[in-house]
Amino acid sequence: MLKGMLLLKKAPDVQWQVDITPINYAGEAITALVLQQETVGRVFHICNPVAIPYEEMVEHFKAIGYDISLMHWKEYETWLLDPQQPKDKEGLELAMAQFEGDGAKNSVYRYTCPQTTEFLLQSGVKCAVPDQQFFRKMVNYASDIGYFVKP
């Protein structure tokens, strides 16, 4: 979803909540939970305890230097599906996955993880808050390894 948005320079203007969970946190959380006797037989949801509005996420990318235009969902969908409009091929393929349910969701339901958070309190495992510093680090890393285009 993120890479598609950066390649296309367009994104839907939606009221979604976004969970961006760093993989290092997920791995540390799983390890810490497995090592606790009290977690045996329980089910845990690993997610960032702090979700952010989609629009705020887009603003973080724009502040870093990416050019992203927000479009009403129908307009975005029409533009995306119009073969006459030039688009980055990889960006288009990634954006199409949103129609299939990948990425953020337009739903009143939000993923939460209070049980996971409670069991991780004593472990010292903490998830990074998705603020400007978080996005800058993510973009720098993703750009350095060639996954994101540089702003």
Side-chain angles (χ1 to χ4, degrees):
M1 178 183 74
L2 302 179
K3 185 175 182 179
M5 174 177 60
L6 301 179
L7 291 171
L8 294 171
K9 299 181 180 183
K10 295 187 188 303
D13 186 3
V14 292
Q15 302 301 307
W16 293 343
Q17 291 292 311
V18 182
D19 166 30
I20 299 183
T21 304
I23 191 66
N24 62 325
Y25 165 74
E28 290 173 13
I30 290 167
T31 302
L33 291 167
V34 165
L35 294 174
Q36 294 181 42
Q37 185 63 37
E38 304 82 28
T39 63
V40 173
R42 293 179 177 260
V43 176
F44 294 90
H45 186 92
I46 307 295
C47 68
N48 193 326
V50 179
I52 63 168
Y54 183 87
E55 188 175 282
E56 182 180 323
M57 178 190 70
V58 171
E59 289 303 316
H60 285 305
F61 282 110
K62 289 168 90 172
I64 293 168
Y66 287 100
D67 176 26
I68 303 167
S69 299
L70 291 177
M71 304 168 74
H72 290 289
W73 179 261
K74 257 322 199 195
E75 181 185 357
Y76 175 74
E77 186 177 317
T78 300
W79 172 81
L80 204 57
L81 298 174
D82 183 353
Q84 303 304 314
Q85 296 288 327
K87 293 171 219 56
D88 179 275
K89 184 179 186 273
E90 183 182 10
L92 175 62
E93 291 170 357
L94 292 167
M96 293 303 289
Q98 284 183 280
F99 294 130
E100 298 298 321
D102 283 353
K105 305 288 185 274
N106 188 17
S107 172
V108 295
Y109 298 105
R110 291 181 57 186
Y111 288 112
T112 61
C113 52
Q115 176 178 262
T116 304
T117 302
E118 182 181 327
F119 275 90
L120 290 175
L121 278 177
Q122 303 306 316
S123 72
V125 176
K126 293 187 183 354
C127 191
V129 175
D131 56 13
Q132 188 62 51
Q133 180 182 356
F134 172 93
F135 277 92
R136 192 165 299 283
K137 283 182 179 180
M138 180 178 67
V139 165
N140 287 341
Y141 177 75
S143 297
D144 287 348
I145 65 167
Y147 186 70
F148 283 173
V149 293
K150 292 194 183 284

